[in-house]
Amino acid sequence: MTLRIDIGGLPSEGLRFAASPLAELTAMLHVLAEPGHHPQFAGWAGDVWAGLRPELAERLREAEFLWRSSQADFLIPARPRPTLAEELDDVDRIDDERYVTAALVTTCGGNRVRFAAPSPLTDATARERALDVAQARGALQEAFAERLLADPAAVRARVRDTLEQCAEAFFDAAWAGVAVQLATDLRLKNDLLKHQGIGAALASVSGAVRLAPDGDRIVVDKLQDKATTAHGIGITFIPSVYGRPHLLAVHAPGWQPVVQYPVAEPGPAEPVPLETVTLRLEALAHPVRLRLLRTLARGPHTTGELAHAWELTPPEVSRHLTVLRRAGLLTTRRHGRYVRYTVDLPAVTALGTDLLAAVLR
């Protein structure tokens, strides 16, 4: 499962790396709404909530659907500006239909599709569905959707005012602290793009982002099966400090592709590809392989020893060991004519963390 972005024929200047104040503010708002996703910022989130005026705290709760489970596309700018005010001005230029549809795709949990969905402002069926799904998601979400559909201009103005209050309350100080990290990352990415090409630049973004062998597609390792194109409009990559571990992608019809990626930190390993996580889960789903793994966890064994221990034939054991090896769960060492198998304990230990990272990505 991947997101595929067609870049065939895209000139080099069509792929850009740039920092976005609005995208980083959105990442911070997501941390405040879902601190469990970001334990490294738990202290920061607690301090921010403690210092917020009650009115602003209530505003964040009423609009949190724009950034909690996913981010509304207009909050991840395709053309980043130097200041938050300039980016909010660009959002103001979006027409009501695009704004409301983008907000309700996020707010109501709808799936983004390859064709443009009807606007709930003009299509009665789309409006009814938006309200039905909003009602199922909770009273706050239902009220937000109803107000947005009834008076888009008023809700848009209120959302902008809320974001501007966030700038004064906590964003400006936090932005000053991360701007140097973002600038450093951008220098690296743009240098790689200029001197080594798109493939090297993408490889430095994340182990979950790669250039397809034909060079015509960017492949993003996500729990979805989607496709979009950057033809004629380009693609933007935005670094984020507060967005870790999420890898976000704007790919809805009518929107320029944007990828917001976490700035690398010293120490943590690159993310394990979704394909590897899937292989490992499938390998462990078989009861015989679990039994073999249980024995190997206690020490190295040969195929013959495992066959004897579990009353299986050597060819049967060999087939199961091949599956476990392919999934990266075993290591081998040859002793003369014998091959001994051992559990790769770090790989097995990290499986839960790798699965969670793949889901959150």
Side-chain angles (χ1 to χ4, degrees), residues 26-36 38 41-42 44-45 49 242-243:
T26 302
M28 293 177 190
L29 291 171
H30 173 72
V31 171
L32 293 175
E34 288 284 6
H38 310 269
F41 294 120
W44 173 85
W49 278 118
Y242 282 80

Side-chain angles (χ1 to χ4, degrees), residues 4 171 234 255:
R4 300 168 301 284
F171 173 72
W255 296 85

